[in-house]
Amino acid sequence: MPSYLVQFAQSHDEFRLPEFESLAVIENVNVKFNRDEYRLDRPFLKVEIESDEEAAKLVKRAILIKSIYELWGEGENLEELHASVRETSDRWPHYMGKSFKFSVTAFGSTIVAKKSLEMINSFSFLGFDGDIDMTNPQFQFSILVDFGSERSKYMKVGTFEAEKMYLGKLVTSGSRDLVNRYNLKKRNYLGTTSMDAELSLIMANQALAGPGKLVYDPFVGTGSFLFTCSHFGAYTLGSDIDGRQIRGKGKSSIKSNIAQYDLGDRVLDTLTFDICHNPWRIDNWLDAIVTDPPYGVRAGAKKLGRKENSKKQVSLRTYEGLPMHERDDYYPPTKPYEMSEVLMDLLEFSARQLRLGGRLVYWLPTIVDEYSNEDVPQHPCMKLISNSEQNFGAWSRRLITMQKVAEAHQGEHATIPVHHHSENDVTANRVEQQVRMREEESTEEAEQNKQQPGHYAFREKYFGVF
Amino acid sequence: MRLITHNMLQCHVKNCNDNNFPLRLEEVEVELVEADFQPEFLQNIIGKLEWPAFVNTAVQLGNTNLPATIPDNAKDNEEFLKVLHTALLETHVQQGKMVCPNCSHVYPIKDGIPNMLLAEHEI
Ligand SMILES: C[S@@+](CC[C@H](N)C(=O)[O-])C[C@H]1O[C@@H](n2cnc3c(N)ncnc32)[C@H](O)[C@@H]1O
Ligand SMILES: [Zn+2]
């Protein structure tokens, strides 16, 4: 198969390869590459694809890929590059009489204009005789120069040389312009937890959102994922315990965002309910669940009910003759919803509601020092596809993508793996006590040891709710 | 709320497990909003619909175009798919309520948003 060169964006490094692989699934493109050649700190990856058409399909909706090039040659310096390009002479006749443009792009350093021009001219042996058209050429060629990220190595010896050079014919560019289109700064209705446009778009790709599919967000908030998934052609549904998030204020609401982005054909509905008490009559029906669960970073996690020991009544309450829960401004009493419970519920819900092959894409916040890969929740029906970290220093969040690989059966449960936290971890111990108090009322949980996952008591540690 | 959503909802009040679907629409304000025709999505979702409930609901709202049973060649029958499209995706209940046929719980719909929250004594 012919070689192509993928030029990744220098953004969200850990998300790039998972997105690339999701795109190959979405577009059903046969692509081969050597995993060992992929470097997080480099923009380039050499891949093999059947044809330009397939390469274009693969990259057209990419957020973390700038462009893809048909590879014409590579080398560690200009001489090697020339030699390698000369081997492609069978391709050259096709470009005779066609307008074209050459450019130079450098990574890890800059190349002065004079040097760029020299480099471009050094390829005159190609003999292209068409017009040079800088604005609207039929073909674009790029000399791509990678200076590498370990610059100091070269600085020391005083010569600053490229590590690798490529010549590529541009096939197509990705969809990074969408990041601007869905930019939160330009969005009509926003909340404190609206998700960044770039990440919301990447999530839609991870979810394989596309025409004919149905995607659901059970913690929909202001609707960020509805818009990006529907942008790519999927039909979407969302729900939230807090109807005020959905309705917004005045003329700003999820509805006004749908109008702004002209997605009314495909954003189906948003509903108000607690995911712990959901009214769906059906299972095996969703193609993807894409969500940012409430962990208390900004929007607190809660579920219907009252805090333990609450003496308040639980019978029907009315106000001016109308049952309280039927009032428009009703917000039900809630109790805290510990993160491990949220995760457990999310995985079990997904295992039931996704159709076979469907994907769950969600954010998992972790405390960096305590995190280990085993902390990622598991479920017998769900296979981990990718786990990409976005780091914020002491804490980070991880975008987890899972795929339903087996039908769910009664009695199968998610596991939230555990590891030790220290005896003198005051917050965690206190939270654990509270959870135990709750558990004592219920079942067998007699003597649990001090094992808890790295995200345990996350909210309390970082946001001090006690 | 579109009829596709209505077809997926049942009453979920504690211990209300029988005869809790479909929720009865009452005092509704209905609006037809045109949407792009996407046969692929319809083909994928047909098998997930509770057909008789869907037909009855559509009839209640004044749409009598749906056949009583899904035609055999449904997926390639464009005429049928277009009728389905209108009922399923273009029919919006903007205001009203949904009432459980079993326990009579009322789920209000306001500005197209169904409120499926339960009261404290119902969970
Ligand atoms: C992190 S925010 C999601 C924000 C959303 N991605 C957006 O773009 O606006 C989490 C949401 O979960 C909701 N929530 C909290 N507990 C819930 C529950 N038990 N059931 C359903 N939604 C819940 C909150 O009201 C909040 O809107
Ligand atoms: Zn009921």
Side-chain angles (χ1 to χ4, degrees):
Chain A
M1 287 200 291
S3 292
Y4 289 83
L5 191 69
V6 173
Q7 181 195 338
F8 288 105
Q10 303 283 68
S11 173
H12 299 302
D13 306 342
E14 282 201 10
F15 297 67
R16 303 187 308 183
L17 209 51
E19 187 198 42
F20 181 68
E21 294 184 310
S22 294
L23 293 169
V25 175
I26 294 171
E27 304 294 344
N28 195 17
V29 169
N30 179 15
V31 44
K32 291 204 173 68
F33 62 95
N34 180 353
R35 236 159 226 290
D36 299 334
E37 283 178 11
Y38 176 75
R39 296 266 311 264
L40 281 174
D41 57 359
R42 294 301 164 82
F44 298 115
L45 177 67
K46 213 170 106 177
V47 303
E48 286 176 23
I49 303 172
E50 296 305 341
S51 65
D52 280 16
E53 289 70 37
E54 291 292 289
K57 245 168 62 182
L58 178 64
V59 166
K60 69 169 192 278
R61 57 182 268 188
I63 302 305
L64 295 176
I65 294 173
K66 281 192 172 160
S67 303
I68 188 162
Y69 300 89
E70 183 188 30
L71 191 59
W72 281 44
E74 59 185 314
E76 291 190 2
N77 51 51
L78 201 54
E79 291 68 47
E80 278 186 29
L81 178 59
H82 284 157
S84 134
V85 171
R86 281 180 201 279
E87 286 167 27
T88 63
S89 56
D90 55 322
R91 296 181 188 169
W92 305 352
H94 179 71
Y95 298 88
M96 296 303 162
K98 312 263 168 67
S99 66
F100 68 99
K101 165 186 162 180
F102 258 77
S103 60
V104 177
T105 317
F107 297 89
S109 181
T110 47
I111 298 175
V112 295
K114 183 165 163 279
K115 185 94 185 23
S116 292
L117 201 60
E118 273 173 38
M119 281 169 85
I120 291 172
N121 286 331
S122 75
F123 284 91
S124 57
F125 64 83
L126 289 166
F128 293 171
D129 57 4
D131 290 339
I132 294 174
D133 182 342
M134 299 308 282
T135 47
N136 198 15
Q138 283 173 283
F139 296 100
Q140 291 188 46
F141 293 85
S142 281
I143 303 160
L144 302 149
V145 188
D146 189 357
F147 286 94
S149 54
E150 301 163 60
R151 289 169 63 157
S152 51
K153 188 169 91 196
Y154 297 92
M155 294 298 208
K156 246 181 254 159
V157 259
T159 55
F160 189 35
E161 284 177 0
E163 281 194 353
K164 188 97 195 201
M165 301 176 83
Y166 308 89
L167 179 70
K169 181 200 74 182
L170 181 68
V171 176
T172 194
S173 295
S175 282
R176 286 194 66 72
D177 51 329
L178 291 178
V179 176
N180 187 34
R181 177 175 162 89
Y182 289 97
N183 189 333
L184 295 184
K185 293 208 183 84
K186 302 185 200 161
R187 187 170 298 175
N188 180 279
Y189 169 57
L190 279 185
T192 48
T193 57
S194 298
M195 179 67 62
D196 163 76
E198 185 171 15
L199 292 166
S200 300
L201 287 158
I202 295 167
M203 288 168 77
N205 279 338
Q206 287 303 100
L208 316 178
K213 299 218 174 149
L214 182 57
V215 179
Y216 174 53
D217 181 353
F219 304 107
V220 74
T222 61
S224 306
F225 309 138
L226 305 183
F227 314 134
T228 55
C229 291
S230 281
H231 172 88
F232 290 118
Y235 285 76
T236 50
L237 279 172
S239 61
D240 200 289
I241 194 171
D242 188 353
R244 298 169 301 189
Q245 296 278 335
I246 297 171
R247 290 172 189 282
K249 272 220 164 76
K251 289 212 163 80
S252 295
S253 62
I254 287 192
K255 199 171 156 189
S256 72
N257 286 345
I258 295 171
Q260 178 186 356
Y261 298 129
D262 192 18
L263 296 170
D265 288 356
R266 293 189 298 274
V267 180
L268 292 175
D269 275 311
T270 47
L271 307 88
T272 313
F273 59 81
D274 174 355
I275 194 63
C276 304
H277 301 276
N278 75 76
W280 301 122
R281 68 157 172 87
I282 179 176
D283 50 20
N284 280 306
W285 65 305
L286 300 168
D287 294 290
I289 292 171
V290 179
T291 198
D292 182 17
Y295 299 124
V297 181
R298 294 206 195 89
K302 49 223 165 207
K303 57 181 182 178
L304 294 184
R306 284 179 194 271
K307 291 192 182 132
E308 257 52 62
N309 311 328
S310 166
K311 297 261 161 16
K312 293 235 180 81
Q313 63 189 40
V314 291
S315 54
L316 179 68
R317 292 185 304 147
T318 57
Y319 182 77
E320 292 175 352
L322 196 64
M324 290 290 273
H325 62 278
E326 287 177 33
R327 294 172 51 84
D328 297 334
D329 58 357
Y330 176 71
Y331 188 73
T334 54
K335 57 186 179 185
Y337 192 12
E338 167 59 35
M339 195 166 129
S340 353
E341 282 181 86
V342 177
L343 291 168
M344 187 86 88
D345 290 349
L346 179 62
L347 260 77
E348 292 183 3
F349 178 86
S350 303
R352 281 193 314 272
Q353 305 281 318
L354 288 173
R355 62 158 183 80
L356 211 54
R359 284 191 171 189
L360 165 65
V361 179
Y362 76 97
W363 288 103
L364 176 71
T366 52
I367 296 158
V368 171
D369 285 347
E370 296 177 15
Y371 172 81
S372 80
N373 275 333
E374 285 78 55
D375 289 347
V376 179
Q378 297 172 21
H379 190 284
C381 303
M382 306 285 294
K383 179 181 149 203
L384 184 69
I385 300 287
S386 64
N387 172 349
S388 310
E389 180 187 19
Q390 184 189 22
N391 185 283
F392 295 101
W395 74 283
S396 61
R397 60 180 177 193
R398 291 173 172 274
L399 186 66
I400 308 291
T401 303
M402 301 183 106
Q403 188 145 3
K404 179 167 169 182
V405 292
E407 293 297 353
H409 298 293
Q410 281 281 317
E412 274 175 347
H413 290 293
T415 43
I416 316 286
V418 292
H419 66 68
H420 284 275
H421 67 78
S422 68
E423 283 291 335
N424 49 20
D425 187 337
V426 181
T427 322
N429 284 336
R430 190 157 44 185
V431 171
E432 189 183 46
Q433 260 175 20
Q434 295 209 343
V435 170
R436 270 210 227 162
M437 273 164 53
R438 220 194 294 178
E439 282 171 346
E440 273 165 19
E441 291 167 19
S442 57
T443 47
E444 64 255 31
E445 252 75 42
E447 245 323 289
Q448 274 199 335
N449 58 22
K450 289 270 188 295
Q451 290 191 321
Q452 299 298 348
H455 45 72
Y456 192 75
F458 176 84
R459 177 179 183 194
E460 288 70 19
K461 281 182 190 171
Y462 280 81
F463 305 96
V465 295
F466 295 119
Chain B
M1 181 192 67
R2 304 186 206 222
L3 293 197
I4 184 176
T5 306
H6 173 261
N7 198 259
M8 301 299 172
L9 295 172
Q10 66 186 9
C11 178
H12 60 125
V13 165
K14 190 178 177 185
N15 298 328
C16 181
N17 305 318
D18 286 319
N19 186 30
N20 57 346
F21 172 87
L23 299 172
R24 198 167 62 238
L25 288 169
E26 288 184 7
E27 297 165 35
V28 294
E29 233 172 73
V30 177
E31 203 179 321
L32 280 179
V33 184
E34 244 180 79
D36 237 20
F37 177 61
Q38 297 271 339
E40 198 182 346
F41 177 70
L42 297 168
Q43 288 154 354
N44 290 343
I45 205 77
I46 291 176
K48 299 291 172 191
L49 298 173
E50 273 293 334
W51 192 258
F54 175 51
V55 176
N56 285 339
T57 307
V59 169
Q60 268 181 39
L61 302 185
N63 181 338
T64 53
N65 298 332
L66 292 166
T69 52
I70 302 175
D72 290 338
N73 64 341
K75 294 190 177 179
D76 317 305
N77 183 337
E78 186 165 309
E79 200 186 327
F80 165 73
L81 290 177
K82 289 220 154 120
V83 169
L84 174 63
H85 171 74
T86 300
L88 196 66
L89 300 174
E90 297 186 322
T91 312
H92 296 247
V93 179
Q94 298 295 22
Q95 318 291 343
K97 48 192 186 183
M98 291 185 278
V99 183
C100 173
N102 181 41
C103 75
S104 300
H105 180 102
V106 174
Y107 299 95
I109 303 165
K110 187 165 175 267
D111 303 324
I113 303 169
N115 179 352
M116 306 304 291
L117 283 168
L118 299 179
E120 281 184 272
H121 64 286
E122 294 169 325
I123 57 174

